[in-house]
Amino acid sequence: MNTTETIVTEQGPMLVDWDVPITMSDGAVLRADVFRPAGDVQAPVLLSHGPYGKGLAFQEGYTSAWEQLVTGHPEVAEGSSNRFQNWEVADPERWVPLGYACVRVDTRGTGRSPGFLDPFSPQETQDLYDCIEWAGTQAWSTGKVGLSGISYYAMNQWQVGVLRPPHLAAICVWEGSCDHYREVSHHGGILTTFTRNWYEMQVVSVQHGNDRGLVSAVTGQRVTGDDALDEDTLRANRRDYGATHRAHAFDDEYYAAQTPDLSLLEVPLLSAGNWGGAGLHLRGNVEGFLNAGSQQKWLEMHGLGHWVEYYTKYGRDLQQRFFDHFLKGVDNGWDDQPPILLRVRNADGTFEDRTAQAWPLPDTEWTEFYLDATRGELTPGLPAAAQVTYDELGEGVTFELATSDQTLEITGPSAMTLYVSSDTDDADLFVVVRVFDPDGCEVTFPGAIDPNSPPAQGWLRASHRALDPERSLPYRPFHPHQVREPLVPGEVYEVDVEIWPTSLVLPPGYRLAVTVQGHDYEYADAGDRTLSNIRGKLRGSGPFVHDDPVDRPVYDTTDPAPAAKITLRTGGEHPARLLLPIIPR
């Protein structure tokens, strides 16, 4: 039942409209909670539209993630009762006192919104369009709507933005991918099991009608609505997301319907990515910024955990300046700042803030280093011909750059050219950029999800090696992923691997290295860390792993395929090389 309540917080009174019905263009009804300033005032709107259950508190639904967040960054919990904290969206106790209305909508088929659950579908995008227009025409609204939120709540901003809802005034895409094949389901053509696990654990669990006993600690209402549906009905009311990705092995019409033409985007844009977000929360923010048609657009890149900077003072201040300018018309100098805002990452885990006029950075010195299989080195000159063979499930092959007495900075995208043969008709290539300190110990970094991440990764299935010459760049090869071209066993093929962007400043004595292997990166000293919302242990690549037994039969426990033997050729007629974006210090 839709009710309005006045809630008194430390910052003052706040009106809350619980479970407001919003009618979609096809007649379906979604449910929203609206937090707004008290009194007869109008406010600009920060809207989020997602599948995690608007009534499920961050602390209750994602206990370990919340505990790690506030333990490592106590400022996140300070100054708010945190009663209304919700997973990956803005805290209304912080934003309503600033003069904003916060609207949270359960997507169709999730939480308290009935219907067929189909993540990122055209229907869901149309629903978000309808929600924006509803929020922009309410009596308490100024008519200006901004979109805010992390991950899912960021990814769908790209999709709806290109539809140009009249009341949409600005979008803040915080760690949100935009290419549903290359960044969500398949990395370099290799299926990730993340989507299946994520969907089952975080979305199906709060599907509308799923009677799990989840109750809002604030309202006492069932998080998943008042309907209690049986399992057969629930299954019929949702897409099998993981099975869909397994069935669509190429970049076909299914992904095309979810991946927008960003040249159509006109709304002011703040795209915020995470250096540690290899697998989901990095490439899309960069590519989205570059391809967006918006005349007013900014790219911000930070580090630390996936949820951290969105909630810290740094992130909140950044968002407020952006939204104040475009939703309130505040002349705060936002338009005058450079389009690139970077938190450059040091080897000790600290950051230094820097601005730039373009991405990649204008002063980038693109530098090639050749792979030498004889010495296991990265060299500035082409070495003599050599080759090395490794087992698909083994440690792979590592090539190291010589130490220097100078500081080395690498900030930007990278690419690797390999000459590969296999004793099977394919080869899955996992490229890992690594760092070692002067004592030879590996240095890892806090990733978006995993606490021990390498600075950069790239992937490619060799049978997907074809390039799109019009979209490829020397530092960012683009594979169309339209057809499989099997390898002839023993024959050598040239392949280009995209390595997602990174930022890294290495002091003298540190060594950069790159490992080529046939499986996901695992940090040797990872331990048994877990998160309550993540299936499996965090071993270096977070949940973004590639162990589907159908896509990669070597992981089939009932009938595993034999591991492939993969040979890399270097030097001579096979100038295997790594292209790095070196920044003068």
Side-chain angles (χ1 to χ4, degrees):
M1 182 66 69
N2 175 214
T3 60
T4 299
E5 178 181 4
T6 299
I7 294 177
V8 179
T9 71
E10 292 182 10
Q11 294 78 23
M14 175 173 66
L15 292 179
V16 186
D17 303 310
W18 300 110
D19 232 23
V20 180
I22 306 178
T23 302
M24 301 293 100
S25 52
D26 67 348
V29 176
L30 306 189
R31 293 283 175 172
D33 292 337
V34 179
F35 304 81
R36 54 193 175 92
D40 186 19
V41 297
Q42 292 182 318
V45 181
L46 297 183
L47 186 143
S48 57
H49 173 261
Y52 298 131
K54 63 183 175 59
L56 183 61
F58 195 144
Q59 305 92 312
E60 295 182 7
Y62 302 88
T63 305
S64 58
W66 175 256
E67 290 176 350
Q68 289 184 22
L69 176 61
V70 298
T71 299
H73 306 274
E75 64 177 287
V76 171
E78 296 168 354
S80 171
S81 72
N82 300 300
R83 292 178 63 210
F84 310 104
Q85 285 281 9
N86 206 216
W87 175 251
E88 298 191 330
V89 295
D91 178 5
E93 277 192 76
R94 296 192 182 278
W95 285 93
V96 171
L98 298 176
Y100 289 89
C102 293
V103 177
R104 297 172 172 171
V105 188
D106 281 336
T107 52
R108 187 180 300 224
T110 70
R112 297 186 62 81
S113 297
F116 185 78
L117 170 55
D118 192 1
F120 300 111
S121 63
Q123 178 62 68
E124 192 175 273
T125 302
Q126 180 60 47
D127 288 349
L128 178 51
Y129 181 107
D130 294 341
C131 290
I132 293 167
E133 290 308 290
W134 175 88
T137 54
Q138 298 306 297
W140 42 260
S141 169
T142 63
K144 289 187 177 293
V145 179
L147 298 182
S148 173
I150 310 172
S151 194
Y152 198 108
Y153 300 99
M155 294 159 68
N156 58 17
Q157 295 182 39
W158 301 115
Q159 292 174 283
V160 77
V162 302
L163 300 182
R164 302 175 181 173
H167 289 90
L168 183 61
I171 62 175
C172 177
V173 182
W174 202 277
E175 301 190 27
S177 58
C178 63
D179 187 321
H180 280 255
Y181 183 85
R182 290 162 186 80
E183 299 159 9
V184 181
S185 68
H186 292 72
H187 298 134
I190 309 170
L191 177 66
T192 171
T193 51
F194 164 73
T195 54
R196 181 183 67 214
N197 294 334
W198 159 79
Y199 189 58
E200 292 173 356
M201 294 187 70
Q202 294 184 229
V203 180
V204 172
S205 60
V206 289
Q207 182 181 359
H208 180 80
N210 189 345
D211 186 13
R212 296 178 55 223
L214 294 174
V215 175
S216 168
V218 178
T219 67
Q221 292 181 313
R222 275 187 47 195
V223 170
T224 54
D226 300 325
D227 302 321
L229 306 179
D230 61 67
E231 185 53 43
D232 289 341
T233 304
L234 288 169
R235 192 177 297 109
N237 279 354
R238 68 178 182 254
R239 175 185 287 277
D240 189 332
Y241 195 57
T244 299
H245 284 177
R246 179 186 276 175
H248 291 265
F250 299 97
D251 188 13
D252 59 16
E253 68 284 348
Y254 169 73
Y255 301 105
Q258 299 177 333
T259 301
D261 179 359
L262 293 176
S263 67
L264 301 176
L265 197 68
E266 293 182 338
V267 68
L269 161 69
L270 172 59
S271 178
N274 191 321
W275 297 125
L280 188 62
H281 302 117
L282 169 58
R283 182 186 188 273
N285 283 102
V286 174
E287 292 293 314
F289 165 79
L290 292 173
N291 294 313
S294 304
Q295 294 301 303
Q296 297 169 297
K297 60 181 181 178
W298 289 264
L299 173 67
E300 186 272 350
M301 296 295 292
H302 55 264
L304 303 179
H306 179 38
W307 309 278
V308 174
E309 295 289 32
Y310 180 83
Y311 291 104
T312 59
K313 186 178 185 303
Y314 162 80
R316 294 197 311 270
D317 287 350
L318 186 73
Q319 295 167 69
Q320 184 184 348
R321 288 180 56 229
F322 175 72
F323 284 127
D324 278 357
H325 185 71
F326 290 108
L327 270 60
K328 291 183 176 182
V330 177
D331 184 10
N332 57 12
W334 179 272
D335 261 345
D336 298 327
Q337 71 182 11
I340 309 298
L341 315 171
L342 303 180
R343 310 208 91 180
V344 176
R345 182 169 58 180
N346 294 311
D348 62 0
T350 60
F351 298 89
E352 53 185 86
D353 291 337
R354 186 188 305 162
T355 61
Q357 293 297 326
W359 180 273
L361 303 186
D363 55 349
T364 302
E365 295 179 353
W366 297 104
T367 307
E368 287 186 334
F369 293 96
Y370 293 93
L371 280 59
D372 184 344
T374 299
R375 299 175 178 272
E377 294 178 349
L378 295 167
T379 66
L382 183 65
Q387 66 182 54
V388 60
T389 300
Y390 63 89
D391 187 284
E392 182 178 15
L393 297 183
E395 295 183 356
V397 184
T398 297
F399 303 87
E400 297 184 353
L401 190 64
T403 58
S404 172
D405 59 0
Q406 302 293 319
T407 297
L408 173 66
E409 179 182 339
I410 298 166
T411 296
S414 304
M416 175 169 269
T417 300
L418 295 171
Y419 293 84
V420 177
S421 64
S422 173
D423 66 351
T424 72
D425 69 350
D426 218 332
D428 285 349
L429 303 169
F430 294 73
V431 175
V432 186
V433 177
R434 305 167 70 183
V435 172
F436 295 89
D437 68 16
D439 295 325
C441 298
E442 184 169 9
V443 179
T444 60
F445 301 84
I449 304 295
D450 201 297
N452 297 114
S453 296
Q457 296 192 67
W459 310 262
L460 182 66
R461 176 160 287 169
S463 60
H464 288 230
R465 63 191 176 277
L467 291 171
D468 182 335
E470 293 185 0
R471 299 187 66 178
S472 290
L473 298 166
Y475 50 80
R476 203 270 289 124
F478 190 90
H479 303 275
H481 298 293
Q482 295 292 315
V483 66
R484 182 174 186 268
E485 298 179 87
L487 309 185
V488 175
E491 188 169 321
V492 181
Y493 296 87
E494 179 180 348
V495 299
D496 294 282
V497 183
E498 174 188 1
I499 301 174
W500 287 19
T502 190
S503 179
L504 187 63
V505 179
L506 298 183
Y510 279 66
R511 285 177 295 143
L512 186 80
V514 61
T515 296
V516 182
Q517 57 190 35
H519 58 84
D520 291 297
Y521 168 81
E522 291 190 2
Y523 176 53
D525 299 322
D528 294 325
R529 294 192 184 217
T530 59
L531 281 173
S532 58
N533 60 297
I534 298 295
R535 181 166 293 163
K537 296 178 180 179
L538 302 177
R539 295 195 169 104
S541 295
F544 309 109
V545 295
H546 308 78
D547 55 2
D548 184 86
V550 174
D551 186 69
R552 304 198 70 206
V554 71
Y555 289 106
D556 186 347
T557 57
T558 60
D559 185 21
K565 303 291 185 183
I566 301 167
T567 299
L568 304 180
R569 286 169 171 78
T570 67
E573 297 180 353
H574 301 106
R577 56 200 180 272
L578 173 67
L579 179 66
L580 292 177
I582 294 179
I583 308 301
R585 297 291 291 180

